[in-house]
Amino acid sequence: MTTVTRRVAPAPQSTTGIRFPQGFTWGTATAAYQIEGAASVDGRTPSIWDTYSRTPGRVRNGDTGDVATDHYHRWREDVAIMADLGVSAYRFSLSWPRVQPTGRGPAVEKGLDFYRALTDALLEKGIEPVVTLYHWDLPQELEDAGGWPERVTTDRFADYAALAARALGDRVKTWTTLNEPWCSAFLGYGSGVHAPGRTDPVAALRAAHHLNLAHGKAVQALRAELPSRARASITLNIHHVRALTDSAADLDAARRIDALANRVFTGPLLEGQYPQDLLQDTAGLTDWSFVQDGDTATIHQPLDFLGVNYYTPTLVSATTDEAAHGSDGHGMSEHSPWPGADQVAFHRPPGTTTAMGWAVDPSGLYDLLMRLKADHPAMPLMITENGAAFDDYVNPEGEVADPDRIAYLHGHLAAVQRAIVAGVDVRGYFLWSLLDNFEWGYGYSKRFGAVYVDYPTGKRIPKASARWYADVARTGTLPDRGGVNG
């Protein structure tokens, strides 16, 4: 998948008035630790994010997910909101320590009952449940035993996948094994800005491989337990990497980051092998002997679609400054999440930015989708996350106007629509996120939700973007740009 472009490509042209394909999935998405709360209720034990967020200095303002948006107790209200929005699917993750507290052994039935009730309520409203098995909440006991850098964790994950499939397979047709394994491996074990907060580049590479292997074993476990109609996938935050200039040094920097960000996963997942340039780039750190015979065949399982998360492009150049990784948009750390890429600098792309400091550039999504079509033409795609954080507030009328988010969504949906017209097989779009929530290391300081959450009271207030998105989902048509307003 090595291909790079210089600076920022032109924005996609408007495709106003062209309907999305019939049957296109319109969804929204959340993650368990970010919304559920009830951190020690009904048998749930700590995950690595419980431990990380409770460690002083790790999360902004000392925030934790102990209560979050209290979705565990307010899920009926949240399902009603989704029904009002008219979405056709809801992507949510299971909390591994709520279902299987120690990461091994039998399930806790109360934990499973929560997800059974949630899926039943979704189905009653005509909303398809789309389950993600892992959205970063490894049971702390498994981390204490070594976590993702250790091979045994892959077997624990396969057992958990089988357990979840047996419990929910009669209700859930669509399953995702992992969400953004790049973040789990390289932010969790490389830069330390995500749980568990370790800073070992070799451990990060080992974790990346074991996450890949866990995915393959989990797909095998799901296929063994689920009806033939069930669908299996994985979600990747594929970075759209651009070189700052056309110089050979900058293009090589982009190739190096592309290998670490993307091809470390797409290689074994979609092609059955790790890319040789990745192995060469990191040879000074490891000989990759943790990859055993048969591993890549296990990883290379047939998928029903590939989930794609996109927020902003990645702009890089060559440098001699080994501290330059700090501007990569993934959080500040003295340690790099890019093993073997110390002489790569990250730059903020030009243009407007979100509250995360991420450039708003829909052309990156279009280019990414076109690249995936070129590299893997037979693979259906699903946009499993796309959205933006802005500094939202409730006005004196009790409303939340968020025109910047509407403009962001319009631009990115136009990019998706343009890609579909160009022949890319995109099956659906999931807005991130349904609710304002715990935004990992940023705590509650960043709001991605289509629904505003007043954290002291838990009150939900749909933003203007929620109503706008509901109209798009209902009609299957993107309004003209003149209709974009707060």
Side-chain angles (χ1 to χ4, degrees):
M1 285 183 66
T2 304
T3 178
V4 295
T5 55
R6 183 181 177 186
R7 287 190 177 274
V8 178
Q13 298 299 308
S14 173
T15 50
T16 297
I18 300 175
R19 289 180 56 85
F20 281 80
Q22 187 172 4
F24 189 83
T25 296
W26 295 99
T28 187
T30 63
Y33 187 74
Q34 293 182 274
I35 66 168
E36 283 183 3
S40 58
V41 172
D42 291 338
R44 185 187 181 278
T45 57
S47 73
I48 54 174
W49 267 100
D50 292 281
T51 302
Y52 186 87
S53 65
R54 294 168 188 170
T55 302
R58 290 295 201 180
V59 175
R60 188 172 297 185
N61 301 318
D63 293 338
T64 74
D66 289 357
V67 177
T69 70
D70 199 26
H71 174 74
Y72 191 76
H73 297 111
R74 304 182 68 139
W75 60 270
R76 294 175 182 83
E77 178 182 0
D78 295 337
V79 171
I81 290 172
M82 284 184 270
D84 288 342
L85 293 180
V87 296
S88 55
Y90 174 47
R91 176 178 174 253
F92 61 96
S93 73
L94 307 184
S95 168
W96 191 348
R98 191 179 301 287
V99 170
Q100 193 186 36
T102 65
R104 55 175 60 84
V108 171
E109 287 301 316
K110 285 187 177 180
L112 287 175
D113 285 344
F114 168 70
Y115 296 112
R116 291 182 180 114
L118 174 63
T119 55
D120 286 346
L122 291 167
L123 291 169
E124 288 172 4
K125 297 291 187 180
I127 301 170
E128 180 188 0
V130 177
V131 165
T132 298
L133 288 170
Y134 186 74
H135 201 132
W136 308 352
D137 51 357
L138 185 72
Q140 183 61 45
E141 285 199 23
L142 293 186
E143 173 60 22
D144 293 342
W148 285 114
E150 298 304 319
R151 190 177 185 89
V152 67
T153 308
T154 68
D155 295 321
R156 299 287 77 75
F157 186 68
D159 292 344
Y160 159 62
L163 183 155
R166 286 193 294 270
L168 298 171
D170 61 335
R171 298 164 168 85
V172 177
K173 298 178 182 178
T174 304
W175 295 77
T176 297
T177 55
L178 305 172
N179 179 80
E180 297 187 356
W182 184 88
C183 294
S184 296
F186 295 101
L187 301 184
Y189 294 92
S191 65
V193 299
H194 277 194
R198 290 162 62 179
T199 55
D200 179 345
V202 176
L205 292 168
R206 290 174 60 92
H209 172 63
H210 291 141
L211 283 155
N212 282 334
L213 185 60
H215 157 81
K217 291 181 177 181
V219 171
Q220 291 175 330
L222 291 172
R223 301 278 192 213
E225 297 288 345
L226 296 172
S228 59
R229 60 181 172 80
R231 302 189 298 171
S233 67
I234 187 172
T235 281
L236 304 178
N237 57 319
I238 298 177
H239 294 57
H240 182 61
V241 184
R242 290 168 169 158
L244 185 66
T245 74
D246 288 333
S247 71
D250 285 359
L251 290 171
D252 189 65
R255 176 205 58 76
R256 188 176 294 260
I257 295 305
D258 181 65
L260 285 167
N262 302 325
R263 290 180 287 118
V264 65
F265 299 108
T266 59
L269 288 167
L270 303 182
E271 299 169 14
Q273 61 184 351
Y274 283 100
Q276 286 300 309
D277 62 325
L278 170 69
L279 305 184
Q280 293 166 2
D281 290 344
T282 57
L285 295 169
T286 177
D287 61 3
W288 288 76
S289 58
F290 47 81
V291 180
Q292 298 183 9
D293 290 345
D295 280 2
T296 52
T298 299
I299 295 167
H300 186 41
Q301 297 296 314
L303 298 177
D304 294 289
F305 64 89
L306 176 66
V308 177
N309 292 357
Y310 173 86
Y311 293 92
T312 190
T314 301
L315 185 63
V316 302
S317 69
T319 182
T320 58
D321 180 1
E322 294 186 1
H325 67 268
S327 57
D328 64 1
H330 292 293
M332 298 300 294
S333 171
E334 295 179 357
H335 303 273
S336 174
W338 305 103
D342 290 336
Q343 294 186 330
V344 175
F346 291 80
H347 304 270
R348 177 176 291 180
T352 59
T353 61
T354 69
M356 297 290 289
W358 297 345
V360 177
D361 187 353
S363 72
L365 178 56
Y366 173 80
D367 292 344
L368 176 59
L369 294 173
M370 295 302 293
R371 173 187 177 181
L372 286 169
K373 177 181 183 292
D375 291 346
H376 308 286
M379 178 59 65
L381 306 176
M382 189 84 74
I383 308 301
T384 39
E385 286 185 27
N386 178 240
F390 292 103
D391 296 323
D392 304 316
Y393 62 91
V394 182
N395 66 23
E397 289 73 39
E399 300 173 339
V400 181
D402 57 343
D404 290 339
R405 182 173 289 103
I406 292 174
Y408 179 99
L409 297 178
H410 187 285
H412 287 79
L413 282 169
V416 174
Q417 194 177 68
R418 182 183 172 207
I420 292 172
V421 171
V424 183
D425 185 6
V426 183
R427 303 283 179 90
Y429 176 96
F430 288 78
L431 169 65
W432 186 269
S433 175
L434 174 66
L435 303 167
D436 290 337
N437 54 46
F438 178 86
E439 185 48 40
W440 309 114
Y442 295 93
Y444 297 100
S445 67
K446 306 297 182 185
R447 294 180 177 272
F448 274 89
V451 176
Y452 184 94
V453 177
D454 178 68
Y455 293 116
T457 66
K459 182 178 180 181
R460 277 82 159 130
I461 304 173
K463 303 174 188 178
S465 60
R467 298 191 296 274
W468 181 89
Y469 185 64
D471 286 342
V472 174
R474 177 178 53 82
T475 63
T477 304
L478 196 63
D480 63 29
R481 193 163 293 275
V484 176
N485 58 67

